[in-house]
Amino acid sequence: MLPPGSTIGILGGGQLGRMLAVAAAQLGYRVHIYAPDRESVAADVAAQHTQAAWDDEHRLAAFAANCDVVTYEFENVPVETVRFLSGHVAIRPGIEGLEIAQDRLAEKQFVAGLGGRPAPFAAVPDRAALDTALAAIGVPAILKTVRMGYDGKGQARLASADDADPAWDAIDRHAAVLEGFVTFAHEFSVLLVRGIDGETRFWDSSVNVHRDGILATSSLPPPPIILDQQDEARALMAKIAAALDYVGVLTGEFFATADGPVFNEMAPRVHNSGHWTIEGAVVGQFENHIRAVAGLPLGDTATVALPVVMRNLIGADIGSLPALFADGTAHVHHYGKTEVRPGRKLGHVTWVGNSPA
Ligand code: AMP
């Protein structure tokens, strides 16, 4: 058990790091943010900040020497960075989950190997392979880059085989995976936290609605089909977490289909679809992630009241802040980002025990 006053290092300086830092501070820990970006909204609320490149071994070693444990808020931290740090300080969760989550193909193979059901998929390492994959998978389909995809980026939809060339160009001709288009009723996520001793707890699944490939809302209670499929999806995520000897919060995104839950992707970190847990659960994802990596007992993940609605503030949505502040029942989170851009996540707002007007 890491005593209060210890320092938790976080790789990545975005809003997830910011909310982790707030939770860590509440438990008496100091936080040291390491991120290459000029703007770090996590560093604004942390005790220490190193702004340096992911491959700066000198700065990484100094960071490790200053931390009692290191975690990450960003799944595209280079694996080499984490490998280097792991020679100096404990990293939780470990490197294996990160490595798998960074590679869409490896992730699907890993999950299928554990008995999970991803959408039908085929590897597309080059343009010629796309034709073979289309013949096998059919249309409609989605071409997704193997690496660095998030919030619908690095994806192209194909309605017919004629879309092959434009789709290949749209993803900048990177190695990819072709996925069959899944007909789903709803999207949901399974959010779990696993402690150092293997104890695993789940939050209730929310129904997630995306707009332009970006999460727009997460709400509870979810429709009955999600309640029916939640246990099967949880069992898969528990298997994944155990196979990785995972410590911390792990997220799985699923499609609820007529044939059961279809695995979409996982994130080895706290997740946007779990933001509602800050106020909507007894102990939320950020505090429980810090508890897990610090070796503390896990907190209760039960939902405190229904309904719960979490709405993202994306781009111009931030203009609704005055109205949200005027609504005394809205829990407003502003991430402190200075630049407003379309599609950029700038904050979120949560209602617990009531719905937004
Ligand atoms: P992803 O970045 O893979 O989570 O994809 C972003 C969003 O695109 C998902 O949340 C779905 O709404 C949609 N999507 C992704 N893959 C599929 C698929 N195979 N079939 C249907 N919709 C998909």
Coordinates of all heavy atoms in Angstrom, one line a residue, residues 44-92:
D44 N -1.8 21.2 -15.0 CA -2.4 22.3 -14.3 C -2.8 22.0 -12.9 O -3.0 22.9 -12.1 CB -3.6 22.9 -15.1 CG -3.2 23.6 -16.4 OD1 -2.0 23.9 -16.5 OD2 -4.1 23.8 -17.2
V45 N -3.2 20.7 -12.7 CA -3.7 20.3 -11.4 C -2.7 19.3 -10.7 O -3.1 18.6 -9.7 CB -5.1 19.7 -11.4 CG1 -6.1 20.7 -12.0 CG2 -5.1 18.4 -12.3
A46 N -1.5 19.2 -11.2 CA -0.5 18.2 -10.6 C 0.6 18.9 -9.9 O 0.9 20.1 -10.1 CB 0.0 17.4 -11.7
A47 N 1.3 18.2 -9.0 CA 2.4 18.8 -8.2 C 3.6 19.0 -9.1 O 4.3 20.0 -8.9 CB 2.7 17.8 -7.0
Q48 N 3.8 18.1 -10.0 CA 5.0 18.2 -10.8 C 4.7 17.9 -12.3 O 3.8 17.1 -12.6 CB 6.1 17.3 -10.3 CG 6.8 17.8 -9.1 CD 7.6 16.7 -8.5 OE1 7.1 15.8 -7.8 NE2 8.9 16.7 -8.7
H49 N 5.5 18.4 -13.2 CA 5.3 18.3 -14.6 C 6.6 18.2 -15.3 O 7.5 19.0 -15.1 CB 4.5 19.5 -15.1 CG 4.3 19.5 -16.6 ND1 4.1 20.6 -17.3 CD2 4.1 18.4 -17.5 CE1 3.9 20.3 -18.6 NE2 3.9 19.0 -18.7
T50 N 6.8 17.1 -16.1 CA 7.9 17.1 -17.0 C 7.4 17.1 -18.5 O 6.6 16.3 -18.9 CB 8.7 15.8 -16.9 OG1 9.2 15.7 -15.5 CG2 9.9 15.7 -17.8
Q51 N 7.8 18.2 -19.2 CA 7.4 18.3 -20.6 C 8.7 17.8 -21.4 O 9.6 18.6 -21.5 CB 7.0 19.7 -21.0 CG 6.5 19.7 -22.4 CD 6.6 21.1 -23.1 OE1 6.6 22.1 -22.4 NE2 6.7 21.1 -24.4
A52 N 8.6 16.6 -21.9 CA 9.7 16.1 -22.6 C 9.3 15.0 -23.6 O 8.1 14.5 -23.5 CB 10.8 15.5 -21.7
A53 N 10.1 14.6 -24.5 CA 9.8 13.7 -25.6 C 9.7 12.3 -25.0 O 10.3 11.9 -24.0 CB 10.8 13.7 -26.7
W54 N 8.9 11.4 -25.6 CA 8.7 10.0 -25.2 C 10.0 9.2 -25.2 O 10.1 8.2 -24.6 CB 7.6 9.3 -26.0 CG 6.2 9.8 -25.8 CD1 5.4 10.2 -26.8 CD2 5.5 9.9 -24.6 NE1 4.2 10.5 -26.3 CE2 4.2 10.4 -25.0 CE3 5.8 9.7 -23.3 CZ2 3.2 10.6 -24.0 CZ3 4.8 9.9 -22.3 CH2 3.5 10.4 -22.7
D55 N 11.0 9.7 -26.0 CA 12.2 8.9 -26.1 C 13.4 9.6 -25.4 O 14.5 9.3 -25.7 CB 12.6 8.7 -27.6 CG 12.7 10.0 -28.4 OD1 12.6 11.1 -27.8 OD2 13.0 9.9 -29.6
D56 N 13.1 10.6 -24.6 CA 14.2 11.3 -23.9 C 14.5 10.5 -22.6 O 14.0 10.7 -21.5 CB 13.7 12.7 -23.5 CG 14.8 13.6 -22.9 OD1 15.8 13.0 -22.3 OD2 14.7 14.8 -23.0
E57 N 15.5 9.6 -22.8 CA 15.8 8.6 -21.7 C 16.3 9.3 -20.4 O 16.1 8.9 -19.3 CB 16.8 7.6 -22.2 CG 16.1 6.7 -23.2 CD 16.9 5.4 -23.5 OE1 18.0 5.3 -23.1 OE2 16.3 4.5 -24.2
H58 N 17.0 10.4 -20.6 CA 17.5 11.2 -19.5 C 16.4 11.7 -18.6 O 16.4 11.5 -17.4 CB 18.4 12.3 -20.0 CG 19.0 13.1 -18.9 ND1 20.0 12.6 -18.1 CD2 18.8 14.4 -18.5 CE1 20.4 13.6 -17.2 NE2 19.6 14.7 -17.5
R59 N 15.4 12.3 -19.3 CA 14.3 12.9 -18.6 C 13.4 11.8 -18.0 O 12.8 11.9 -16.9 CB 13.4 13.8 -19.5 CG 14.2 15.0 -20.1 CD 14.7 16.0 -19.1 NE 13.6 16.7 -18.4 CZ 13.0 17.8 -18.9 NH1 13.2 18.2 -20.2 NH2 12.0 18.4 -18.2
L60 N 13.2 10.7 -18.8 CA 12.4 9.6 -18.3 C 13.0 9.0 -17.0 O 12.3 8.6 -16.1 CB 12.3 8.5 -19.4 CG 11.4 8.8 -20.6 CD1 11.6 7.7 -21.7 CD2 9.9 8.8 -20.1
A61 N 14.3 8.8 -17.0 CA 15.0 8.3 -15.8 C 14.8 9.2 -14.6 O 14.5 8.7 -13.5 CB 16.5 8.0 -16.1
A62 N 14.9 10.5 -14.8 CA 14.7 11.4 -13.7 C 13.3 11.4 -13.2 O 13.0 11.4 -12.0 CB 15.0 12.8 -14.2
F63 N 12.3 11.2 -14.2 CA 10.9 11.1 -13.8 C 10.7 9.8 -13.0 O 10.0 9.9 -11.9 CB 10.1 11.1 -15.1 CG 8.7 10.7 -15.0 CD1 7.7 11.5 -14.5 CD2 8.2 9.4 -15.5 CE1 6.4 11.1 -14.4 CE2 6.9 9.0 -15.4 CZ 6.0 9.9 -14.9
A64 N 11.2 8.7 -13.5 CA 11.1 7.4 -12.8 C 11.6 7.5 -11.3 O 11.0 7.0 -10.4 CB 11.7 6.3 -13.5
A65 N 12.8 8.2 -11.2 CA 13.4 8.3 -9.9 C 12.6 9.1 -8.9 O 12.6 8.9 -7.7 CB 14.8 8.9 -10.0
N66 N 11.7 9.9 -9.5 CA 10.9 10.8 -8.7 C 9.5 10.2 -8.3 O 8.7 10.7 -7.5 CB 10.7 12.1 -9.4 CG 9.8 13.1 -8.7 OD1 8.7 13.4 -9.1 ND2 10.3 13.6 -7.6
C67 N 9.2 9.0 -9.0 CA 7.8 8.4 -8.8 C 7.9 7.1 -8.0 O 8.9 6.3 -8.2 CB 7.2 8.1 -10.1 SG 6.9 9.6 -11.1
D68 N 6.9 6.8 -7.3 CA 6.8 5.5 -6.6 C 6.1 4.5 -7.4 O 6.3 3.3 -7.2 CB 6.1 5.7 -5.2 CG 6.9 6.7 -4.3 OD1 7.9 6.3 -3.9 OD2 6.4 7.8 -4.1
V69 N 5.2 4.9 -8.3 CA 4.6 4.0 -9.2 C 4.2 4.9 -10.4 O 4.0 6.1 -10.3 CB 3.3 3.3 -8.6 CG1 2.2 4.3 -8.2 CG2 2.7 2.3 -9.5
V70 N 4.1 4.3 -11.6 CA 3.7 5.1 -12.8 C 2.5 4.4 -13.5 O 2.5 3.2 -13.6 CB 4.9 5.2 -13.8 CG1 4.5 5.7 -15.2 CG2 6.0 6.1 -13.2
T71 N 1.6 5.2 -14.0 CA 0.5 4.7 -14.7 C 0.4 5.5 -16.0 O 1.2 6.4 -16.2 CB -0.8 4.7 -13.9 OG1 -1.9 4.1 -14.6 CG2 -1.3 6.1 -13.6
Y72 N -0.6 5.3 -16.9 CA -0.8 6.0 -18.1 C -2.2 6.3 -18.3 O -3.1 5.6 -17.9 CB -0.1 5.4 -19.3 CG -0.3 3.9 -19.4 CD1 -1.5 3.4 -20.0 CD2 0.6 3.0 -18.9 CE1 -1.7 2.0 -20.2 CE2 0.4 1.6 -19.0 CZ -0.7 1.1 -19.6 OH -0.9 -0.2 -19.7
E73 N -2.5 7.4 -19.0 CA -3.8 7.9 -19.3 C -4.1 7.9 -20.8 O -5.1 8.3 -21.3 CB -4.1 9.3 -18.8 CG -3.2 10.4 -19.3 CD -3.8 11.3 -20.4 OE1 -4.8 12.0 -20.1 OE2 -3.3 11.2 -21.5
F74 N -3.1 7.4 -21.6 CA -3.1 7.6 -23.0 C -2.5 6.3 -23.6 O -1.4 5.9 -23.2 CB -2.1 8.8 -23.3 CG -1.8 9.0 -24.8 CD1 -2.8 9.3 -25.7 CD2 -0.5 9.0 -25.2 CE1 -2.5 9.6 -27.0 CE2 -0.2 9.3 -26.5 CZ -1.2 9.6 -27.4
E75 N -3.3 5.6 -24.5 CA -2.9 4.3 -24.8 C -1.9 4.3 -26.0 O -1.4 3.2 -26.4 CB -4.0 3.3 -25.1 CG -4.7 3.4 -26.4 CD -6.0 4.2 -26.3 OE1 -6.0 5.2 -25.4 OE2 -7.0 3.9 -26.9
N76 N -1.6 5.5 -26.5 CA -0.6 5.5 -27.6 C 0.8 5.9 -27.1 O 1.7 6.3 -27.9 CB -1.1 6.3 -28.7 CG -2.2 5.6 -29.5 OD1 -2.1 4.4 -29.8 ND2 -3.2 6.3 -29.8
V77 N 1.0 5.9 -25.8 CA 2.4 6.1 -25.3 C 3.3 5.0 -25.9 O 2.9 3.8 -25.9 CB 2.5 5.9 -23.7 CG1 3.9 5.9 -23.2 CG2 1.6 6.9 -23.0
P78 N 4.4 5.3 -26.5 CA 5.2 4.3 -27.2 C 5.6 3.2 -26.2 O 6.0 3.4 -25.0 CB 6.5 5.0 -27.6 CG 6.0 6.4 -27.8 CD 5.0 6.7 -26.7
V79 N 5.4 1.9 -26.6 CA 5.8 0.8 -25.8 C 7.2 0.8 -25.3 O 7.5 0.5 -24.2 CB 5.5 -0.5 -26.5 CG1 6.1 -1.7 -25.9 CG2 3.9 -0.7 -26.7
E80 N 8.1 1.4 -26.1 CA 9.5 1.5 -25.8 C 9.7 2.4 -24.6 O 10.6 2.1 -23.7 CB 10.4 2.0 -26.9 CG 10.4 1.2 -28.2 CD 9.0 1.3 -29.0 OE1 8.4 2.4 -29.1 OE2 8.5 0.2 -29.4
T81 N 8.9 3.4 -24.5 CA 9.0 4.4 -23.3 C 8.6 3.6 -22.1 O 9.3 3.7 -21.0 CB 7.9 5.5 -23.5 OG1 8.3 6.2 -24.7 CG2 7.9 6.5 -22.4
V82 N 7.5 2.8 -22.1 CA 7.1 2.1 -20.9 C 8.1 1.0 -20.6 O 8.4 0.8 -19.4 CB 5.7 1.5 -21.2 CG1 5.2 0.7 -20.0 CG2 4.7 2.7 -21.5
R83 N 8.7 0.4 -21.6 CA 9.7 -0.7 -21.4 C 10.9 -0.1 -20.7 O 11.4 -0.6 -19.7 CB 10.1 -1.4 -22.7 CG 10.8 -2.7 -22.4 CD 10.9 -3.5 -23.7 NE 9.7 -4.1 -24.1 CZ 9.1 -4.0 -25.3 NH1 9.7 -3.4 -26.2 NH2 8.0 -4.7 -25.6
F84 N 11.3 1.1 -21.1 CA 12.4 1.7 -20.5 C 12.1 2.1 -19.0 O 12.9 1.8 -18.1 CB 12.8 3.0 -21.3 CG 13.9 3.8 -20.6 CD1 15.2 3.5 -20.8 CD2 13.6 4.9 -19.8 CE1 16.2 4.2 -20.2 CE2 14.6 5.6 -19.2 CZ 15.9 5.3 -19.3
L85 N 11.0 2.7 -18.8 CA 10.6 3.1 -17.4 C 10.5 1.9 -16.5 O 10.8 1.9 -15.3 CB 9.2 3.8 -17.5 CG 9.3 5.3 -18.0 CD1 7.8 5.8 -18.1 CD2 10.1 6.2 -17.0
S86 N 10.0 0.7 -17.1 CA 9.8 -0.4 -16.2 C 11.1 -1.0 -15.7 O 11.0 -1.7 -14.7 CB 9.0 -1.5 -17.0 OG 9.8 -2.0 -18.0
G87 N 12.2 -0.6 -16.2 CA 13.5 -1.0 -15.6 C 13.8 -0.1 -14.4 O 14.8 -0.4 -13.7
H88 N 13.0 0.9 -14.2 CA 13.3 1.9 -13.1 C 12.3 2.0 -12.0 O 12.5 2.3 -10.9 CB 13.5 3.3 -13.6 CG 14.7 3.4 -14.6 ND1 14.7 2.9 -15.9 CD2 15.9 4.0 -14.4 CE1 15.9 3.2 -16.4 NE2 16.6 3.8 -15.6
V89 N 11.0 1.7 -12.4 CA 9.9 1.9 -11.5 C 8.7 1.0 -11.9 O 8.7 0.5 -13.0 CB 9.4 3.4 -11.6 CG1 8.9 3.8 -12.9 CG2 8.4 3.8 -10.5
A90 N 7.8 0.7 -10.9 CA 6.7 -0.2 -11.2 C 5.7 0.6 -12.1 O 5.4 1.7 -11.9 CB 6.0 -0.5 -9.9
I91 N 5.2 -0.1 -13.2 CA 4.3 0.5 -14.1 C 3.0 -0.4 -14.0 O 3.0 -1.6 -14.2 CB 4.7 0.3 -15.6 CG1 6.2 0.8 -15.8 CG2 3.8 1.1 -16.5 CD1 6.3 2.2 -16.1
R92 N 1.9 0.3 -13.7 CA 0.6 -0.3 -13.6 C -0.5 0.5 -14.4 O -0.5 1.7 -14.1 CB 0.2 -0.5 -12.1 CG 1.1 -1.3 -11.3 CD 0.6 -1.5 -9.9 NE 1.7 -2.1 -9.1 CZ 2.2 -1.7 -7.9 NH1 1.7 -0.6 -7.4 NH2 3.1 -2.3 -7.3

